[in-house]
Amino acid sequence: VHRETTGPEIWNDTDGQLDILVSGVGTGGSVSGIAQYIKGKAEFDCPPLQPNLHVVAVEPMEQMLITEAMGGEKQGPQGPHKIQGMGAGLVPKNLDLTMIDQVVPVHSDWASSMCHDLWMIGLPVGVSAGAIVAASCQVLQQDENAGKMAVCIIPSFGERYFTHPMFADIKSQAEGLTKQPLPEPFDNTDYGFATPRG
């Protein structure tokens, strides 16, 4: 479906000027389908629109299975992580590794920190989006990517993640608030209305 919808949408919205695509890997469908549409994949009748598109897959640093599948080495302890929506303990069969040019591992703490920063500027996103934006920033800070156009996929909003550990401080603060009494009702006739209560 991403070859037929998301890929063309991104291509059209960037006027075909896209240089870098950054996406997390859950099922692998988004990054694979978009890349196949833009880079081209004869098997799916997708002519190459931008064969030099640099495709970046994002995975949890605590579970670097895609990195390993592409011949890279894992960094640090491997195991459970806190990035919901990616790093399910396997390399998804939907993931087309031939489309991936780079894998960027992001630690759960970095993802949560970026997610918090995004919330503070008015973008309520999930922790996986925090990981993807953190990876995008890392990629775009590389000298060879100066001035290039990048798209990062933000897969969901944050309303479904309120039980995530990154919200523990906010939850604690909210639970510690004391209730304030409601003000006494006022008389609307003091403000020119015909009835005392609106």
Side-chain angles (χ1 to χ4, degrees), residues 32-55:
S32 298
I34 296 166
Q36 289 165 351
Y37 177 79
I38 296 173
K39 283 181 114 170
K41 186 87 172 185
E43 175 184 347
F44 299 110
D45 296 322
C46 295
L49 301 172
Q50 166 53 301
N52 296 323
L53 177 67
H54 187 75
V55 178

Side-chain angles (χ1 to χ4, degrees), residues 46-164:
C46 295
L49 301 172
Q50 166 53 301
N52 296 323
L53 177 67
H54 187 75
V55 178
V56 180
V58 181
E59 69 178 345
M61 184 176 280
E62 301 93 325
Q63 203 169 96
M64 296 175 60
L65 300 176
I66 300 168
T67 297
E68 184 178 52
M70 294 192 61
E73 293 189 24
K74 297 177 180 178
Q75 305 169 22
Q78 300 292 296
H81 62 87
K82 298 174 184 172
I83 305 175
Q84 295 167 328
M86 62 173 71
L90 52 85
V91 177
K93 291 183 180 180
N94 285 341
L95 181 61
D96 185 348
L97 291 173
T98 67
M99 293 283 114
I100 307 300
D101 299 298
Q102 180 181 2
V103 182
V104 174
V106 175
H107 194 277
S108 295
D109 294 342
W110 306 343
S112 291
S113 177
M114 178 59 79
C115 182
H116 176 268
D117 292 348
L118 293 169
W119 274 76
M120 292 300 103
I121 64 168
L123 293 172
V125 298
V127 70
S128 60
I132 295 162
V133 173
S136 299
C137 291
Q138 183 180 335
V139 168
L140 290 170
Q141 287 174 354
Q142 297 167 358
D143 291 341
E144 64 271 19
N145 294 330
K148 292 188 176 178
M149 181 184 289
V151 168
C152 71
I153 304 298
I154 294 180
S156 64
F157 286 110
E159 77 280 355
R160 62 180 86 173
Y161 301 107
F162 289 133
T163 58
H164 191 275

Side-chain angles (χ1 to χ4, degrees), residues 116 161-176:
H116 176 268
Y161 301 107
F162 289 133
T163 58
H164 191 275
M166 72 181 165
F167 291 110
D169 289 344
I170 295 171
K171 180 180 178 188
S172 175
Q173 290 172 10
E175 288 172 343

